[in-house]
Amino acid sequence: MFSTLLGLVQTKTAISEFPCRMACSSVQLKTYLRFSLNYILTMFDFIHEFKWIREKPTRLEGKVALITGGSSCIGESTARLFAKHGAKVVIADVQDELGHSVCEELKIESASFVHCDVTREKDVENTVNTAAVENKLDFL
């Protein structure tokens, strides 16, 4: 985008056609655009240097999360996010095929699926017992 704008500034007609109709010379506009581009690239490099921001996906390592409705929509997104950050995810849903496909995508060791209809107490009890590995359930 910036290279396109810089190319447009090369001609005098570009200034009059520029959307904001800036009252400045092409040299001033070119300098401003280059400064802006350099600033954005510098900030990107600065943020990219903080590898700990990118390498913190293990902050939920060793945690167990039971996510109802985890086969689709918000539940699926939540399951993916928790798994990305290192949690063991137990997906509980009535959509068996979708639940198993999500588990396969997340990795078998970090996700499992349990058929559960939350309107049935027996299903909920079975799901909680399955998720509470070694008497541990961190997120529900």
Side-chain angles (χ1 to χ4, degrees), residues 43-59 81 84-85:
M43 291 307 296
F44 179 79
D45 289 341
F46 178 74
I47 292 170
H48 190 70
E49 285 298 314
F50 288 102
K51 294 179 182 173
W52 56 270
I53 293 174
R54 292 181 291 124
E55 296 175 359
K56 274 250 183 180
T58 59
R59 63 182 172 171
L81 184 64
K84 177 183 173 185
H85 287 280

Side-chain angles (χ1 to χ4, degrees), residues 1-10 33 37:
M1 179 175 121
F2 284 104
S3 62
T4 304
L5 290 175
L6 287 173
L8 288 174
V9 174
Q10 299 296 328
L33 291 174
L37 178 60

